[in-house]
Amino acid sequence: VLFRSYQPEWQVTLSCHGNDFLAEGMATDLEKLDALMVENFETKVLPKIGPADAGGETSHLHRIIKWREGSQEGFTCEADPKYAKSLVKAMNLDGCKGVDTPSSKECGKGDRQASELLKLEEAKEFRSLAGTALYLSLDRPSIQFAMSEISSGMSAPTRLHWLKLKRLVRYLAKYPTEVWKLEIQDQPSDYCVYTDSGWASDRETRKSMSSFAEKFGEHLIETSCARQTVVALAS
């Protein structure tokens, strides 16, 4: 559960996820918050990120946050690259020839065993690796469509789902990181949500894929791509 609060006297905005806290505000006010936390809790204070600490970085919920100087001053955020590396290593794809897209309609085409269910141990390994990739997809919009297709096989994974997961990992081998750039901007007046659906895009189930992207000014805040649970006969 994520909680957010605002302290107007100190000009600090605070978010809490379990026992992880992330605060934004003036340096002097953040120091007051640090002192309050240390006084009342067993606390590990991470580095502050901002113009006064140019080039610094910290982590929050396994995300790496950095400050960027120059004409595109602001923050960057990316998932911990260890997850992509662990997937590549687990599937023995170190040094493989990577691919430019995380999914393809041609994946598994012509494979006569594509619809066969994986054996018990293979299915267990598939679910473990797919779970790691699913966690990674929260911070990588480019792989969310591929993960939606892979996740459809969690209950009864087939060889085709394994091949789709393998292609995704080959993409991660070539592109191990994906960085969100959040440049300094004036207070936006608009919060925009873009949404679309690929009607009956799954050739096997004829289910539709829905997606959305949320933007606050020029900042991309959140994205999602998920298969609908029912077959829609009309929009």
Side-chain angles (χ1 to χ4, degrees), residues 203-214:
R203 296 181 181 179
E204 295 294 327
T205 65
R206 310 313 296 172
K207 291 182 179 179
S208 303
M209 183 74 76
S210 294
S211 61
F212 71 80
E214 301 178 12

Side-chain angles (χ1 to χ4, degrees), residues 30-139:
L30 292 175
E31 289 172 1
K32 296 177 184 177
L33 177 63
D34 289 345
L36 178 66
M37 296 294 289
V38 170
E39 180 182 352
N40 291 276
F41 304 99
E42 184 178 339
T43 305
K44 179 181 179 180
V45 179
L46 298 177
K48 295 182 179 65
I49 304 300
D53 302 316
E57 67 176 70
T58 190
S59 63
H60 180 65
L61 300 176
H62 302 290
R63 295 171 175 89
I64 299 174
I65 305 171
K66 299 180 181 179
W67 174 259
R68 303 172 70 243
E69 288 284 7
S71 60
Q72 297 179 322
E73 188 178 51
F75 296 89
T76 62
C77 181
E78 63 181 291
D80 192 328
K82 72 178 183 181
Y83 297 108
K85 293 178 181 178
S86 66
L87 286 168
V88 172
K89 183 177 181 180
M91 297 197 75
N92 298 315
L93 291 174
D94 287 300
C96 73
K97 182 179 180 181
V99 293
D100 289 322
T101 58
S103 65
S104 171
K105 293 181 179 179
E106 302 301 314
C107 187
K109 191 175 183 179
D111 190 324
R112 295 182 179 181
Q113 287 79 42
S115 60
E116 291 185 2
L117 293 174
L118 297 179
K119 296 179 181 180
L120 185 61
E121 286 301 315
E122 293 174 331
K124 183 178 180 181
E125 183 182 9
F126 169 83
R127 293 188 182 99
S128 176
L129 296 174
T132 300
L134 182 62
Y135 181 81
L136 182 61
S137 70
L138 296 174
D139 298 305

Side-chain angles (χ1 to χ4, degrees), residues 140-208:
R140 298 196 59 164
S142 64
I143 69 173
Q144 289 177 352
F145 175 84
M147 271 314 305
S148 181
E149 292 192 320
I150 294 168
S151 298
S152 66
M154 281 296 199
S155 60
T158 65
R159 175 172 166 79
L160 179 58
H161 292 113
W162 179 265
L163 292 174
K164 288 182 176 181
L165 177 60
K166 186 175 181 179
R167 181 181 178 88
L168 170 61
V169 176
R170 288 176 61 200
Y171 172 81
L172 296 177
K174 188 171 184 178
Y175 302 102
T177 61
E178 185 171 320
V179 181
W180 292 42
K181 295 181 180 179
L182 306 173
E183 299 173 12
I184 297 297
Q185 62 177 354
D186 294 330
Q187 181 67 20
S189 58
D190 296 322
Y191 185 88
C192 299
V193 179
Y194 303 90
T195 183
D196 196 10
S197 295
W199 297 107
S201 56
D202 190 313
R203 296 181 181 179
E204 295 294 327
T205 65
R206 310 313 296 172
K207 291 182 179 179
S208 303

